[in-house]
């Protein structure tokens, strides 16, 4: 945060009530700068409707919103519009569901050469997520858990602007921890205590990390499920198959990180990055197909994070000029320097680009076999990934992987809601669901590149100006 935001942040703490998250938002003056409408009843007239289910777009539709919910969809003449309704003529613009993204962060790489230290972005990243159309976001592991919880509360109360967050606790990690900020959980009792403590604090999901042991992971999953909460995993010491049999809900970053195929691996030990073995395997090999079948049978979801993987490759996903504009001086210099070095390396050795292309094919095959594929942008700053912009990039990459634009949109909307067990309220445009909507001046179902042409984002029926949010962030993502 910078000077003006710090002042507003402090004053809002003094002025506004800190009551529970269920209260109606009392928008701060700063939040109101980005809002286009807060009327209780709003009609979006003449839209191209992409409902998020994968069905083709429907022309000439109208959507009636009341008290943050969708109450009617159809031809205007078939909708009973109350007299005090605010009508917004969309002039044939496309409306699709708000994105439900399951691997997001509120920090950016601080670029320390020896340690993975992060700089928290509690004001700017939530704005950029919302500007990009992300209305529900799961944070994939926290380095500043109390900051994350406070941001979630302040967004709900209208003091800050951003998505509705599913806040993830600090990493469930073993020894040695990959990060200075991560705990080291040694046994099952500690795991259960950890899960219950953070659930009591308000965290609504958990993420296991690379050095967790099988016993700690199983105890964590059981404790979280007893509380009705989900567990994801970025794993190494535990294989995908082992975690799936334990009941883990999501496996992060696709298949590239799976250690199931590493030869001579030791149980409960992270023996190194499995890229070499991944590159040796064929998609149609019995061991790969058996793993995919196991995940599908166990209802284990795969989270695609193609945006960050492609950025690491340097050649698959070139710099995004709009994202670069959001970076502060130091972060921009670091990003452009790293990209130049990465591009030079990629020209000499294209293994990472080939790995990304292979990952794309495996994710497509998993989806086509009936597996649940969801997505997230993993905006840690690796490769210059920035909130909101990277969410658009990953949809483009899904289409490059062979998905149709409508399939990519469903993966980023309804599939995410299904994975969260919230498909009755999120993820598609239907009567009774939350009015979480993206207004796009284009046809992303025909050209996925149009997904960047976001004009307005509705979250819980409140409209936000996407471009104002982006302009407010220019030069302010700093390491």
């Amino acid at each position: 945060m910078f000077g003006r935001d710090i002042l507003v942040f402090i004053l809002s703490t003094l002025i506004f009530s800190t009551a529970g998250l269920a209260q109606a938002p009392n928008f701060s003056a700063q939040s109101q700068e980005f809002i286009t409408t807060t009327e209780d009843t709003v009609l979006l007239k003449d839209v191209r409707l992409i409902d998020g289910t994968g069905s083709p777009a429907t022309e000439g539709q109208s959507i009636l919103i009341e008290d943050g919910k969708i109450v009617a969809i159809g031809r205007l003449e078939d909708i009973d519009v109350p007299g005090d309704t605010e009508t917004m003529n969309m002039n044939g613009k496309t409306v699709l569901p708000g994105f439900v993204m399951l691997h997001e962060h509120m920090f950016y790489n601080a670029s320390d050469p020896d340690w993975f230290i992060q700089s928290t972005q509690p004001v700017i990243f939530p704005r950029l997520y919302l500007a990009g159309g992300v209305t529900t976001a799961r944070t994939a592991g926290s380095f500043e858990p109390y900051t994350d919880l406070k941001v979630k509360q302040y967004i709900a109360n209208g003091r800050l602007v951003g998505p509705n967050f599913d806040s993830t606790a600090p990493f469930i990690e073993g020894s040695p921890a990959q990060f200075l900020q991560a705990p080291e959980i040694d046994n099952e009792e500690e795991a259960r205590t950890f899960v219950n403590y953070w659930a009591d604090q308000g965290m609504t999901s958990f993420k296991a990390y690379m050095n967790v042991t099988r016993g700690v992971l199983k105890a964590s999953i059981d404790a979280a499920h007893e509380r009705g909460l989900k567990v994801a995993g970025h794993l190494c010491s535990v294989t995908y198959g082992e975690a799936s049999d334990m009941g883990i809900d999501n496996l992060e970053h696709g298949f590239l990180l799976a250690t199931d195929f590493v030869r001579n691996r030791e149980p409960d030990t992270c023996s190194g990055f499995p890229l070499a073995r991944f590159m040796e395997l064929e998609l149609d090999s019995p061991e790969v197909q058996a793993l995919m079948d196991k995940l599908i049978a166990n209802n284990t979801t795969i989270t695609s994070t193609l945006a960050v993987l492609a950025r690491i490759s340097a050649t698959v996903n070139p710099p995004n000029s709009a994202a670069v504009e959001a970076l502060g001086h130091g972060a921009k210099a670091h990003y452009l320097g790293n990209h130049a070095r990465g591009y030079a390396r990629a020209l000499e050795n294209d293994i990472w680009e080939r790995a990304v292309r292979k990952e794309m094919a495996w994710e497509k095959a998993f989806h086509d076999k009936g597996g649940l594929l969801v997505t997230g942008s993993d905006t840690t700053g690796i490769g210059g990934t920035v909130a909101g912009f990277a969410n658009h990039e990953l949809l483009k990459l899904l289409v490059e992987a062979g998905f149709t634009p409508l399939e990519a949109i469903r993966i980023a909307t309804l599939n995410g809601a299904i994975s969260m067990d919230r498909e009755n309220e999120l993820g598609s445009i239907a009567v009774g669901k939350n009015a979480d909507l993206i207004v796009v001046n284009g046809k992303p179902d025909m050209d996925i590149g149009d997904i960047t042409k976001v004009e307005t984002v509705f979250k819980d029926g409140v409209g936000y100006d996407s471009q104002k949010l982006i302009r407010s962030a220019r030069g302010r993502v700093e390491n």
Side-chain angles (χ1 to χ4, degrees):
M1 292 185 293
F2 290 78
R4 182 171 177 270
D5 284 330
I6 292 174
L7 179 61
V8 172
F9 201 72
I10 293 172
L11 289 175
S12 68
T13 304
L14 299 175
I15 294 170
F16 291 97
S17 164
T18 57
L21 298 180
Q23 70 182 50
N26 185 8
F27 293 105
S28 68
Q30 187 183 66
S31 296
Q32 290 175 22
E33 294 179 16
F34 308 109
I35 294 174
T36 59
T37 178
T38 58
E39 295 297 324
D40 292 338
T41 307
V42 178
L43 179 72
L44 305 185
K45 179 182 175 183
D46 185 23
V47 307
R48 292 182 74 252
L49 179 66
I50 298 175
D51 67 5
T53 66
S55 298
T58 307
E59 306 276 352
Q61 299 295 292
S62 293
I63 304 171
L64 184 63
I65 300 168
E66 288 185 0
D67 298 324
K69 299 289 185 180
I70 300 170
V71 296
I73 304 170
R75 295 285 178 180
L76 181 60
E77 58 268 25
D78 297 327
I79 297 177
D80 184 12
V81 181
D84 58 350
T85 298
E86 177 182 358
T87 298
M88 302 178 68
N89 195 332
M90 297 287 106
N91 298 310
K93 294 172 184 175
T94 301
V95 174
L96 58 150
F99 296 133
V100 182
M101 295 286 177
L102 297 187
H103 195 114
E104 311 309 311
H105 292 290
M106 279 195 287
F107 51 72
Y108 194 81
N109 187 1
S111 309
D112 187 283
D114 299 312
W115 303 96
F116 192 72
I117 299 172
Q118 300 293 329
S119 174
T120 301
Q121 313 287 324
V123 174
I124 298 304
F125 264 25
R127 286 185 192 175
L128 288 175
Y129 281 127
L130 190 64
V134 180
T135 52
T136 300
R138 173 178 294 165
T139 56
S142 176
F143 286 155
E144 290 191 20
Y146 292 109
T147 300
D148 287 6
L149 288 170
K150 190 65 70 174
V151 168
K152 176 179 180 177
Q153 181 188 48
Y154 281 13
I155 289 172
N157 288 340
R159 306 178 202 180
L160 294 176
V161 169
N164 291 318
F165 279 108
D166 174 7
S167 298
T168 302
F171 295 77
I172 298 171
E173 174 65 303
S175 179
Q178 291 287 316
F179 309 127
L180 291 173
Q181 305 93 329
E184 296 180 351
I185 303 175
D186 294 326
N187 57 61
E188 290 85 343
E189 182 179 356
E190 287 183 11
R192 288 187 289 270
T193 299
F194 178 90
V195 167
N196 286 316
Y197 173 81
W198 285 111
D200 289 343
Q201 300 308 305
M203 292 296 184
T204 46
S205 56
F206 295 86
K207 179 182 172 183
Y209 212 62
M210 295 176 66
N211 288 306
V212 68
T213 64
R214 288 170 296 174
V216 166
L217 180 58
K218 181 63 165 67
S220 301
I221 292 169
D222 290 346
H225 286 178
E226 288 173 7
R227 304 288 294 258
L229 305 177
K230 300 280 189 177
V231 180
H234 173 158
L235 302 177
C236 179
S237 54
V238 180
T239 68
Y240 278 24
E242 290 170 339
S244 179
D245 284 339
M246 293 176 195
I248 201 167
D249 299 290
N250 293 67
L251 291 167
E252 308 301 285
H253 307 297
F255 291 93
L256 189 147
L257 299 184
T259 54
D260 301 67
F261 314 112
V262 174
R263 297 187 180 97
N264 302 318
R265 63 175 300 274
E266 296 182 20
D268 295 327
T269 301
C270 181
S271 56
F273 196 66
L275 178 62
R277 187 72 181 108
F278 174 76
M279 295 305 293
E280 292 175 356
L281 291 164
E282 297 296 334
L283 174 59
D284 59 359
S285 63
E287 58 264 50
V288 172
Q289 291 299 307
L291 176 61
M292 289 189 179
D293 290 341
K294 176 188 284 287
L295 301 183
I296 293 168
N298 289 341
N299 296 315
T300 307
T301 299
I302 288 289
T303 305
S304 171
T305 59
L306 288 176
V308 72
L309 297 183
R311 278 295 176 86
I312 296 170
S313 77
T315 55
V316 178
N317 199 14
N320 181 302
S321 59
V324 173
E325 288 182 4
L327 300 179
H329 177 75
K332 184 182 295 185
H334 179 255
Y335 167 39
L336 294 176
N338 274 356
H339 177 78
R341 288 187 292 273
Y343 191 81
R345 287 194 301 269
L347 293 178
E348 296 175 0
N349 184 353
D350 67 348
I351 187 171
W352 190 261
E353 178 174 347
R354 290 186 287 113
V356 173
R357 302 295 182 192
K358 191 168 189 175
E359 175 62 36
M360 288 176 170
W362 285 32
E363 291 180 12
K364 181 68 163 56
F366 175 74
H367 169 274
D368 291 349
K369 284 173 71 74
L372 184 63
L373 185 70
V374 300
T375 196
S377 61
D378 194 16
T379 48
T380 56
I382 295 175
T385 47
V386 176
F389 303 108
N391 298 98
H392 294 161
E393 291 164 13
L394 64 86
L395 268 83
K396 296 177 188 178
L397 288 163
L398 286 171
V399 172
E400 193 171 336
F403 294 99
T404 68
L406 286 171
E407 287 174 331
I409 291 169
R410 177 184 167 117
I411 290 167
T413 57
L414 185 56
N415 280 16
I418 291 170
S419 178
M420 298 175 75
D421 296 329
R422 298 183 65 189
E423 65 269 28
N424 291 332
E425 52 184 306
L426 304 173
S428 64
I429 300 176
V431 171
K433 289 197 173 187
N434 291 3
D436 294 346
L437 309 167
I438 309 171
V439 180
V440 175
N441 189 15
K443 298 180 179 181
D445 53 318
M446 297 183 178
D447 180 358
I448 197 62
D450 283 354
I451 203 69
T452 63
K453 301 176 181 178
V454 179
E455 292 192 349
T456 306
V457 179
F458 286 85
K459 191 196 73 175
D460 299 321
V462 178
Y464 297 86
D465 187 315
S466 174
Q467 293 306 306
K468 281 187 178 180
L469 288 165
I470 290 172
R471 286 194 295 271
S472 77
R474 282 179 181 164
R476 299 181 64 183
V477 176
E478 193 52 273
N479 54 16

